[in-house]
Amino acid sequence: MTLLDLEQIKDKEIAGRKKIVLRCCLAAGCTSSDSKNVKARLDQAVVAAGLQDQVEVRGVGCMKLCCDGPLVQVDPANTLYIKVTADSTPSIIAALSGGKSDLPQGDPQAAFFTKQLSIVLANSGVIDPERIEDYIAADGYLALHHALTEMEPRGVVEAVVQSGLRGRGGAGFPTGLKWSTVAKSPGAKKYIICNADEGDPGAFMDRSVLESDPHAVLEGMAVAAYAVGADQGFIYVRAEYPLAISRLQIAIKQAKRIGLLGMGVFESPFNFNIDLRIGAGAFVCGEETALMASVEGKRGTPRPRPPFPAERGLWDCPTLINNVETFANIPAIMRRGAEWFASIGTEKSKGTKVFALAGKIKNTGLIEVPMGTPLRTIVEEMGGGAPGGGAIKAVQTGGPSGGCIPAQHLDTPVDYESLTKLGSIMGSGGMIVMDETTNMVDVARYFLEFCMDESCGKCVPCRTGTVQMHHFLEKILAKKATARDLTHLEELCDMVRNTSLCGLGQNAPNPVQSTLRFFRHEYDALLQPELHSGGNGVAQPQPLAGAK
Amino acid sequence: MGRLKLATVWFGGCAGCHMSFLDLDEFLIEVAGQIDLVYSPIVDCKEYPEGVDVALLEGAICNEDNLELLHKIRARTKVLVSFGDCAVTGNVPAIRNQLGPDNTTNVLQCAYIDNAQENRRLPTHDGIVPALLARVVPVHEVVPVEHYLPGCPPPADRIKAVLTQILAGKPPHLEGAQLKFG
Amino acid sequence: MAAKTLTVDGRQISAENHTTILQAATDAGIKIPTLCHLDGVYDVGACRLCLVEVKGTTKLLSACTTRVYEGMEVTTNSERLQKYRRMTLELLFAERNHTCAVCVANGHCELQALACELGMDHVRYDYCSPKWGVDATHPFLGMDHNRCILCTRCVRTCWHIEGAGTKNVAGRGTKSYIINDLNEPWGESETCTSCAKCVLSCPTGALFHKGATVGEMERDRSKLAFIVNAREKKQWVV
Ligand SMILES: Cc1cc2nc3c(=O)[nH]c(=O)nc-3n(C[C@H](O)[C@H](O)[C@H](O)COP(=O)(O)O)c2cc1C
Ligand code: SF4
Ligand code: SF4
Ligand code: FES
């Protein structure tokens, strides 16, 4: 494989394109509402109408407005059909030749679409994720070629540093810094891991990226491997994502076949293989040290850091671990330059962020917006507010480890620092909208229960502290708790945060603490008065009659 | 200066703590002048009096009677001391909690039917066996408690240490081996 | 070997490179409470009792897994740490059924001893009172899951001192428990060599010799460290 080969594939692909393209979403959201069948029926209808020379029906990845799926987009007419059924397919084809159709349509000019800025999702819903040619036609693997043939590994690391990219897996650690640490770590053998364990309830950003544009992740990993000196990569993807797994398998096979992975990539001395590791559904296995234990075939439990994976990771070798979305940003950064990337977003949070918009909101689905976009823009303009026009009460970000941001803070720009300041986190990108009917204590209980169930059981505070926090919340909700219980709960939150071994336990109190911060009155309203005064060991005894 | 009004109470426990209390031997005589024992299994008094200074509470809270009495005690007492492991932790009486929410049925069945020699029937008449609580709990789970005196039973010298400090007007403080459960 | 100088609780001490804070403090006669640490096996940092404050970081670090460095300033016993430790013990006592009065290890239990040492005189949380069983299938050893604190000392001892690999952890969260092989009854384990080193390692009454009386539950754990020392450093005298 050479640059020339790559260009030939691209040219051939573009030359073979038909005049009209019907893009039919085949990502998990739409396939769950029968889009596979829609695609098959569209194919049939095209043949029946004798249009196969002019019309291509392309199975694509996520087209973002998941709540209205199955989605079919017609190019170049820019018509978006929503809630398409198999039976409505003939009428879509008829409309191509000027027939009138009264099928439900979405508005491609709606704020939901126009306020998006696609870097990570640029190919999502556009290319056929199962065809490497389609990815190459969208300038795929040019970034890898550029890195391998025109740059030193050090230069690649430098570019990532310059871009200001930060990890999209939760903590927002500067990606360039991580890469340079791994690059500098001594060791003949190094590994790259892509964290595709995405375990937050309500989050499906990484799944969509893998299902819609798997090659972008592979290419990002390959660039990283070159930059840090690794020759083996693993993608750790959860078993609950069968479609993502199958698309990754296809993509790896295709890339290997044409020499974009494997020995001597682009006929250079660079070797890089990628294998999949399938997670068995433990949330904690998204934590990097637990994930690595799991890849090694051990019980997936975290271990104390340091040493960090960058120094001692898989099988004690220096290991670079990044999130799916982090890797998916890399090809664009390499192609378009660090400066371009750094020009998007805020001072400390560069680029875009993909969010999975869910909960009490009209438009649920996937959005990618520049860092710094106000929450209000996302929730009200793009998301269309609560269905039925009710008032929005809070937005939960960061998944079970995140926090609830109350409506009065909706003007907060979405970036790492601002969300942290409000007691929440960016997290991996789950965004759950709550309306005025939501009971915030119950929300806290729900997320805490998730952490309690998902605790790996290794360290005491998380394993059993979450159980006791849960007891307290149940007691409060059952209107059996007193102010004394609430004090104990708060004390426990502080203890579990500060003493737990890994991020799961350290962040498990977030839902409780953040709802307490903004919605304490809801807790107070559920408390019962103390039957007796007395201090439970805290109060000093009264001066005693008869004391000497 | 008035005398310290002391009560000792026997909830769900084996009376071992009270035995240990009696093991105080001559200390009991020593302090007799400073204490009025106003309520205790070893005192003939049916109603828990008002205005008690200190109560030593032995035993876990196991049944409705315990519960009712405990609330009364809290309302009428300045300082509560959880006296012995059953009061502090639930201890042996609380083992039945492991049998789950239906444990009361199981426990009664076991005591009055399965292991009974004769007269096998459940005591259902009012006023015979008070209704068991679904969960046996330590005292401080029901009402606030000021001090803890663990041990099964707490040895006499530990009780002495607490009483001495209380009589000296100090909040009792135990540490090290004096705190041992079991 | 390069020595490092550090300050622990205001005292200057020196320690060899690569030693842990726990080791360095212990050598200097400063006691840090531990439960999952056991001389002779590697550390996992699970019980969180040995957490200490280190100047320069807001995170609390487990002394058993954190290596010393030059100029490190460690506080092992602040009010806050004491409070967290007591809470950790409360959580452990509430998690399973630690009825000291009727436990074989009464008086020889590290959990019980720590409660005394750290002044934990009562538990403010609801006792979970779970129903855990006793595995009495082994001819002369037994396991009472009610007393287990999941410190995994037995697991590490079984794998790394005895090399049998019988013991392991199954389940998640508070439902985790110690298993033999692939969750076989202990008596049916094909890998267990009946060496009883796990009993020696156990801090509580979870692992015991059948028929042992309370008085017989005193365990000389230095034997484990002795074996490891003999094996790795060829030192045969303690
Ligand atoms: C409990 C827990 C779960 C996590 N789950 C994920 C996950 O599903 N996906 C992910 O990318 N990172 C997850 N992380 C973060 C990873 O540990 C790690 O920081 C991340 O993969 C690093 O990649 P990044 O620098 O690209 O963000 C999790 C962390 C914790 C503590
Ligand atoms: S914090 Fe929770 S998930 Fe993390 S190591 Fe401790 S028990 Fe396991
Ligand atoms: S059985 Fe003992 S040694 Fe093993 S994990 Fe439980 S408490 Fe620790
Ligand atoms: S002894 Fe260090 S965490 Fe348990």
Side-chain angles (χ1 to χ4, degrees):
Chain A
M1 172 64 56
T2 62
L3 185 59
L4 197 64
D5 297 334
L6 206 62
E7 280 167 353
Q8 274 175 0
I9 294 174
K10 177 177 174 178
D11 292 345
K12 186 163 163 236
E13 181 68 18
I14 291 173
R17 291 239 165 109
K18 297 173 187 168
K19 235 172 60 199
I20 298 174
V21 180
L22 294 183
R23 290 185 274 134
C24 175
C25 173
L26 290 183
C30 287
T31 43
S32 68
S33 46
D34 205 30
S35 72
K36 257 192 196 145
N37 199 18
V38 168
K39 158 93 166 48
R41 294 283 291 274
L42 282 171
D43 279 327
Q44 285 169 15
V46 168
V47 175
L51 290 171
Q52 55 270 51
D53 290 340
Q54 297 161 49
V55 179
E56 177 197 351
V57 182
R58 188 185 299 165
V60 297
C62 181
M63 292 201 274
K64 299 162 195 168
L65 192 58
C66 304
C67 58
D68 283 341
L71 301 173
V72 174
Q73 162 94 19
V74 184
D75 295 331
N78 202 16
T79 313
L80 175 67
Y81 293 103
I82 61 174
K83 297 192 198 285
V84 179
T85 61
D87 294 337
S88 59
T89 48
S91 127
I92 292 179
I93 302 301
L96 294 178
S97 10
K100 191 95 182 79
S101 112
D102 48 8
L103 295 173
Q105 292 190 10
D107 175 11
Q109 294 311 315
F112 181 83
F113 294 108
T114 55
K115 297 258 172 187
Q116 302 217 21
L117 175 65
S118 294
I119 298 175
V120 170
L121 298 178
N123 288 334
S124 177
V126 179
I127 66 164
D128 180 345
E130 300 193 358
R131 294 186 61 245
I132 193 171
E133 298 82 359
D134 223 359
Y135 180 67
I136 291 173
D139 289 338
Y141 289 104
L142 267 185
L144 179 61
H145 180 269
H146 173 57
L148 287 184
T149 56
E150 290 158 38
M151 295 171 87
E152 293 284 317
R154 221 170 342 120
V156 178
V157 172
E158 189 50 32
V160 177
V161 172
Q162 292 304 327
S163 72
L165 177 65
R166 293 169 65 174
R168 303 295 195 238
F173 190 82
T175 307
L177 185 56
K178 200 188 264 187
W179 286 28
S180 81
T181 315
V182 180
K184 281 184 207 140
S185 282
K189 184 81 184 170
K190 294 180 187 176
Y191 293 99
I192 303 281
I193 299 177
C194 171
N195 188 342
D197 196 49
E198 196 170 51
D200 295 8
F204 51 93
M205 305 74 54
D206 294 349
R207 187 195 73 203
S208 298
V209 172
L210 296 173
E211 287 174 355
S212 311
D213 198 12
H215 285 287
V217 178
L218 303 187
E219 188 180 1
M221 288 176 73
V223 171
Y226 174 70
V228 304
D231 64 356
Q232 173 68 49
F234 291 98
I235 302 177
Y236 190 88
V237 52
R238 56 198 307 219
E240 294 90 333
Y241 286 177
L243 186 60
I245 293 171
S246 115
R247 293 213 169 131
L248 280 169
Q249 282 165 336
I250 294 170
I252 293 172
K253 207 190 289 173
Q254 290 171 342
K256 271 191 183 154
R257 196 174 51 220
I258 62 173
L260 293 172
L261 282 179
M263 303 290 278
V265 176
F266 277 119
E267 296 178 12
S268 78
F270 172 66
N271 306 328
F272 186 54
N273 269 310
I274 296 180
D275 287 317
L276 295 188
R277 286 290 178 272
I278 312 299
F283 174 63
V284 76
C285 283
E287 195 279 339
E288 55 192 27
T289 59
L291 186 152
M292 293 186 307
S294 177
V295 170
E296 290 176 11
K298 299 182 187 144
R299 181 176 158 85
T301 54
R303 60 155 175 81
R305 299 173 306 177
F308 287 90
E311 307 145 30
R312 274 172 50 199
L314 267 186
W315 294 288
D316 282 344
C317 299
T319 300
L320 173 72
I321 176 163
N322 276 129
N323 166 261
V324 170
E325 193 182 327
T326 314
F327 281 126
N329 269 299
I330 298 296
I333 293 175
M334 299 311 294
R335 268 197 325 267
R336 305 178 67 171
E339 257 170 53
W340 160 78
F341 190 83
S343 71
I344 302 161
T346 67
E347 193 201 332
K348 287 186 174 160
S349 306
K350 300 296 185 192
T352 58
K353 180 76 196 87
V354 181
F355 291 100
L357 206 50
K360 300 275 179 58
I361 186 147
K362 214 164 119 241
N363 303 325
T364 57
L366 212 56
I367 57 163
E368 181 173 3
V369 289
M371 292 277 189
T373 304
L375 265 177
R376 191 180 300 286
T377 309
I378 297 177
V379 173
E380 291 181 356
E381 289 184 52
M382 305 177 72
I392 284 170
K393 184 171 181 177
V395 179
Q396 211 274 353
T397 68
S401 321
C404 295
I405 297 167
Q408 71 260 31
H409 287 291
L410 273 187
D411 290 315
T412 308
V414 175
D415 60 58
Y416 293 100
E417 278 72 25
S418 307
L419 292 185
T420 310
K421 224 185 285 164
L422 287 174
S424 186
I425 54 170
M426 175 84 78
S428 54
M431 193 178 272
I432 301 172
V433 181
M434 298 162 188
D435 72 2
E436 54 202 350
T437 63
T438 316
N439 172 342
M440 300 312 278
V441 186
D442 203 30
V443 167
R445 192 224 358 220
Y446 169 80
F447 283 113
L448 187 76
E449 187 164 302
F450 179 86
C451 291
M452 175 178 84
D453 289 340
E454 291 297 334
S455 161
C456 80
K458 179 171 179 171
C459 74
V460 181
C462 166
R463 180 181 79 228
T464 120
T466 52
V467 172
Q468 295 297 346
M469 285 159 69
H470 189 253
H471 276 184
F472 282 123
L473 288 172
E474 297 252 279
K475 205 167 163 187
I476 293 170
L477 281 162
K479 299 196 180 157
K480 288 185 176 152
T482 63
R484 184 152 60 112
D485 293 307
L486 187 58
T487 311
H488 286 164
L489 172 63
E490 293 194 75
E491 191 188 36
L492 206 47
C493 286
D494 167 69
M495 182 263 189
V496 171
R497 162 180 312 287
N498 287 305
T499 60
S500 290
L501 193 163
C502 85
L504 196 159
Q506 288 158 10
N507 292 316
N510 275 359
V512 183
Q513 289 180 318
S514 88
T515 48
L516 268 169
R517 174 165 167 194
F518 294 115
F519 302 96
R520 182 177 279 272
H521 54 278
E522 294 194 24
Y523 285 81
D524 288 341
L526 293 165
L527 295 183
Q528 304 304 302
E530 288 276 7
L531 271 181
H532 304 281
S533 57
N536 189 22
V538 182
Q540 298 300 311
Q542 315 285 320
L544 297 173
K548 275 199 225 161
Chain B
M1 221 181 284
R3 286 142 61 109
L4 180 92
K5 282 192 187 155
L6 178 73
T8 74
V9 184
W10 183 20
F11 291 122
C14 69
C17 300
H18 274 86
M19 293 299 158
S20 211
F21 182 76
L22 292 178
D23 268 349
L24 285 169
D25 299 336
E26 67 278 4
F27 177 75
L28 285 177
I29 300 171
E30 252 172 59
V31 295
Q34 302 167 43
I35 287 176
D36 266 339
L37 192 57
V38 294
Y39 181 91
S40 170
I42 53 168
V43 167
D44 187 14
C45 168
K46 296 279 177 277
E47 175 70 11
Y48 191 88
E50 299 273 356
V52 177
D53 294 311
V54 177
L56 301 183
L57 310 179
E58 170 190 337
I61 306 308
C62 303
N63 60 37
E64 297 288 352
D65 278 11
N66 293 161
L67 202 60
E68 197 187 315
L69 178 57
L70 176 58
H71 281 298
K72 189 184 280 178
I73 290 174
R74 178 69 273 186
R76 297 179 176 182
T77 316
K78 288 195 192 118
V79 175
L80 298 190
V81 182
S82 278
F83 177 33
D85 279 2
C86 296
V88 178
T89 75
N91 203 26
V92 174
I95 290 178
R96 75 165 155 96
N97 293 349
Q98 292 170 42
L99 299 177
D102 301 330
N103 71 72
T104 55
T105 335
N106 296 331
V107 167
L108 292 175
Q109 168 82 21
C110 186
Y112 289 94
I113 313 257
D114 300 351
N115 292 334
Q117 306 293 332
E118 50 198 88
N119 232 344
R120 294 196 163 102
R121 65 197 159 94
L122 291 178
T124 44
H125 289 293
D126 275 355
I128 298 184
V129 173
L132 299 185
L133 301 177
R135 248 169 60 81
V136 176
V137 293
V139 173
H140 64 268
E141 217 174 296
V142 183
V143 300
V145 165
E146 276 76 19
H147 304 296
Y148 299 84
L149 171 47
C152 183
D157 66 337
R158 214 180 279 180
I159 306 174
K160 184 174 164 183
V162 168
L163 284 181
T164 315
Q165 295 180 69
I166 288 182
L167 283 169
K170 286 189 279 195
H173 175 75
L174 297 175
E175 59 180 30
Q178 292 280 55
L179 279 180
K180 184 175 154 292
F181 293 118
Chain C
M1 206 176 294
K4 306 276 169 192
T5 320
L6 61 153
T7 319
V8 179
D9 295 339
R11 260 180 62 193
Q12 284 247 325
I13 64 171
S14 72
E16 280 173 11
N17 203 359
H18 293 307
T19 46
T20 61
I21 300 175
L22 179 63
Q23 187 63 51
T26 308
D27 290 347
I30 298 167
K31 187 156 189 251
I32 300 175
T34 62
L35 264 180
C36 66
H37 168 80
L38 177 69
D39 282 340
V41 292
Y42 65 92
D43 283 297
V44 290
C47 74
R48 317 307 282 162
L49 275 168
C50 71
L51 290 185
V52 294
E53 291 163 1
V54 174
K55 198 167 169 192
T57 166
T58 51
K59 287 217 158 166
L60 303 177
L61 300 174
S62 42
C64 65
T65 61
T66 308
R67 316 242 160 227
V68 298
Y69 56 77
E70 185 61 38
M72 193 178 214
E73 286 180 45
V74 184
T75 307
T76 71
N77 213 15
S78 66
E79 289 264 327
R80 172 171 174 239
L81 290 172
Q82 291 181 28
K83 178 174 115 181
Y84 287 161
R85 285 177 190 144
R86 272 196 300 274
M87 290 173 80
T88 305
L89 291 177
E90 285 178 72
L91 289 171
L92 280 174
F93 272 98
E95 186 178 29
R96 294 199 179 184
N97 303 300
H98 297 280
T99 321
C100 300
V102 292
C103 176
V104 274
N106 189 0
H108 305 295
C109 169
E110 291 183 26
L111 180 65
Q112 186 187 36
L114 273 176
C116 294
E117 192 180 315
L118 304 180
M120 192 225 78
D121 61 359
H122 73 292
V123 172
R124 294 164 303 163
Y125 310 123
D126 285 358
Y127 286 93
C128 299
S129 312
K131 195 164 195 283
W132 285 102
V134 176
D135 183 343
T137 56
H138 188 280
F140 56 87
L141 303 173
M143 160 120 200
D144 183 352
H145 292 275
N146 292 293
R147 311 277 191 254
C148 176
I149 54 166
L150 293 168
C151 67
T152 70
R153 277 160 52 159
C154 57
V155 176
R156 285 172 281 150
T157 301
C158 184
W159 283 78
H160 297 278
I161 300 187
E162 178 61 4
T166 307
K167 297 229 174 280
N168 230 318
V169 186
R172 295 235 148 228
T174 197
K175 295 185 186 118
S176 308
Y177 60 106
I178 300 294
I179 54 168
N180 298 292
D181 296 339
L182 295 171
N183 207 3
E184 256 89 43
W186 198 351
E188 286 167 30
S189 162
E190 292 188 0
T191 56
C192 173
T193 62
S194 300
C195 72
K197 289 193 182 74
C198 54
V199 178
L200 211 51
S201 76
C202 181
T204 70
L207 290 167
F208 54 86
H209 286 275
K210 276 189 182 171
T213 59
V214 170
E216 290 161 348
M217 279 299 285
E218 197 154 3
R219 285 157 290 191
D220 181 5
R221 299 191 220 282
S222 64
K223 281 183 187 160
L224 295 172
F226 173 80
I227 296 172
V228 175
N229 240 3
R231 186 188 294 156
E232 289 175 359
K233 299 188 188 148
K234 310 281 181 245
Q235 289 168 358
W236 309 101
V237 273
V238 221

